Amino acid sequence: MQAEFNVVLAQHRQGWNRSFIFVAVTFAIIIFCWYYVDLFNAERLGEGIPSLISLVGEMFPPNFTQLRSWISPLADTLAMSVAGTSIAVLLSLPLGFLAARNTTPHPLVYHFARTLLNGLRSIPELIMGIIFVAAVGFGALPGVLALALHSVGMIAKFFAEAIEHTDQAPIEAARAAGCSPLQVIFHGVLPQVLPQMADTAIYRWEYNFRASTVMGMVGAGGIGFELMGSLRIMQYQEVSAILIVILAMVTLVDGFSGYLRKHFK
């Protein structure tokens, strides 16, 4: 009994030591990254504080005289986020099934779909926005295309992972009943993953609304274009007003998305 206890104690100590080493190495890497990016450079940080205070002072009081002219760009931003997210969800549904091990028709299809999703996620939406602006011109269209393609990489990945974690009992029952592969998906898989898919789509919509403000800075329209214009001519009081308007819209979008989550649960 004592020998067994000593073995268990030794295993526990080894596990604790491994955890301690892992945490220590992680903190060492974090501290090195802080040092690498000059986060410990007190002199440089100290020099930036007065400039930051001066800039914040120039931003007040906010200038809302152009508020009416921002309504249309805000509508463009909202429309971009809705259109981009909806396109991404439609494309992610088939890709999610192809990228899930338990529903893909072939391992090669699985690896191809996963590689495609990794590639879409690896390109920031800002870079995609620049590419599409060069391809189709200025306006909301390149922003929608950039948001949609970048979102597919994340949404389809989460869809695939939700599909892979489904309970296999309903799927096996549907197959045993003679259902076709498409019927198995509709009756055995989708009822289990629809709430998770809806939650993922709503979260991505929140993200895309915030990202669509950045799209305007590269010529893809929206309120970000107005923000960039005010920054270029150093109208910092207008900048602060636009930021407040964006914050108000983000708060409304977050509140509405919370309502949608409760509705789909």
Side-chain angles (χ1 to χ4, degrees):
M1 182 66 70
Q2 183 64 34
E4 294 177 357
F5 176 78
N6 289 335
V7 170
V8 172
L9 183 62
Q11 292 176 346
H12 177 74
R13 286 176 177 173
Q14 289 177 357
W16 190 91
N17 289 336
R18 285 195 295 268
S19 299
F20 176 79
I21 292 173
F22 175 78
V23 172
V25 170
T26 302
F27 270 102
I29 293 173
I30 291 173
I31 292 173
F32 172 76
C33 291
W34 287 358
Y35 173 79
Y36 185 80
V37 298
D38 269 354
L39 200 60
F40 294 123
N41 191 337
E43 181 180 355
R44 185 175 179 183
L45 290 173
E47 291 175 353
I49 291 175
S51 299
L52 180 61
I53 293 174
S54 175
L55 179 61
V56 171
E58 293 180 20
M59 296 175 70
F60 288 92
N63 182 6
F64 289 97
T65 56
Q66 301 297 322
L67 181 60
R68 289 186 178 181
S69 65
W70 300 334
I71 294 176
S72 179
L74 275 173
D76 291 344
T77 299
L78 183 60
M80 284 167 56
S81 66
V82 173
T85 305
S86 60
I87 293 172
V89 170
L90 292 175
L91 294 176
S92 296
L93 279 171
L95 282 173
F97 286 102
L98 295 177
R101 286 187 175 90
N102 55 338
T103 55
T104 188
H106 194 275
L108 288 178
V109 176
Y110 166 81
H111 289 294
F112 174 79
R114 286 283 179 166
T115 302
L116 176 62
L117 299 184
N118 291 337
L120 292 175
R121 286 198 308 276
S122 66
I123 305 175
E125 63 266 20
L126 189 64
I127 303 301
M128 286 189 177
I130 295 172
I131 293 172
F132 282 117
V133 165
V136 301
F138 295 100
L141 179 60
V144 170
L145 296 176
L147 292 174
L149 284 184
H150 186 265
S151 297
V152 168
M154 189 278 282
I155 294 176
K157 178 178 183 293
F158 277 88
F159 282 6
E161 291 178 354
I163 293 167
E164 288 181 346
H165 288 86
T166 53
D167 184 4
Q168 293 301 305
I171 299 174
E172 294 300 329
R175 288 172 178 166
C179 292
S180 66
L182 192 60
Q183 289 174 324
V184 170
I185 289 174
F186 274 101
H187 299 290
V189 179
L190 275 179
Q192 299 186 59
V193 299
L194 274 178
Q196 292 172 276
M197 287 181 170
D199 192 63
T200 300
I202 294 169
Y203 166 77
R204 190 64 190 189
W205 175 51
E206 294 178 19
Y207 174 86
N208 281 343
F209 179 79
R210 291 186 286 269
S212 60
T213 63
V214 181
M215 289 291 100
M217 295 185 178
V218 296
I223 193 64
F225 186 78
E226 301 294 328
L227 178 63
M228 195 62 187
S230 297
L231 281 170
R232 284 174 177 168
I233 60 176
M234 294 183 291
Q235 294 292 330
Y236 296 121
Q237 292 179 336
E238 283 190 6
V239 170
S240 63
I242 294 173
L243 292 176
I244 291 172
V245 170
I246 292 173
L247 175 60
M249 284 296 298
V250 168
T251 303
L252 290 174
V253 168
D254 288 347
F256 183 65
S257 64
Y259 167 78
L260 292 177
R261 284 195 185 91
K262 292 179 182 178
H263 179 73
F264 281 108
K265 285 184 179 179

